Amino acid sequence: MNENKNLPEIKSAGEGYLNKVKRFFSILCRNDITISRTRDILRMPVLAFLIIALLTLEISVPVILISLFCGVEYTIGGEDIPQKKISFRP
């Protein structure tokens, strides 16, 4: 508590930022990405998908683009994100 009543209380500068970062990572963990063609092929948290895609960037970008042209759908959805499909199918 502040001993001088006329001075504003000093808060740590990182409290708001840290809460935003924790909320962002919890959203990435609670929501899934589903890779499917005629049935579900793979389902994983968005955070895991992003980590794998970033670590294998040279391989993952061409694979994702080629798979989109071959009819594979990437569906992102979960508690926080409404379900959205990413595909080149009409």
Side-chain angles (χ1 to χ4, degrees):
M1 178 134 181
N2 192 354
E3 297 162 358
N4 299 326
K5 301 285 185 196
N6 57 353
L7 295 176
E9 195 167 334
I10 298 172
K11 292 184 179 179
S12 157
E15 284 180 6
Y17 178 73
L18 184 61
N19 287 335
K20 288 179 184 178
V21 170
K22 287 193 314 191
R23 183 174 178 273
F24 176 72
F25 279 108
S26 73
I27 288 172
L28 290 179
C29 290
R30 284 192 309 240
N31 296 294
D32 293 331
I33 187 160
T34 304
I35 303 170
S36 60
R37 189 161 181 188
T38 55
R39 61 179 178 83
D40 287 357
I41 298 170
L42 182 66
R43 177 183 218 118
M44 68 173 64
V46 175
L47 182 63
F49 181 79
L50 289 175
I51 289 172
I52 291 170
L54 289 174
L55 290 176
T56 60
L57 191 63
E58 296 174 352
I59 297 170
S60 63
V61 171
V63 167
I64 291 171
L65 290 175
I66 291 170
S67 68
L68 284 170
F69 286 113
C70 293
V72 175
E73 290 183 346
Y74 292 86
T75 308
I76 301 172
E79 298 174 15
D80 304 310
I81 302 172
Q83 209 171 36
K84 295 187 179 193
K85 289 187 179 183
I86 302 168
S87 69
F88 284 134
R89 284 192 218 175

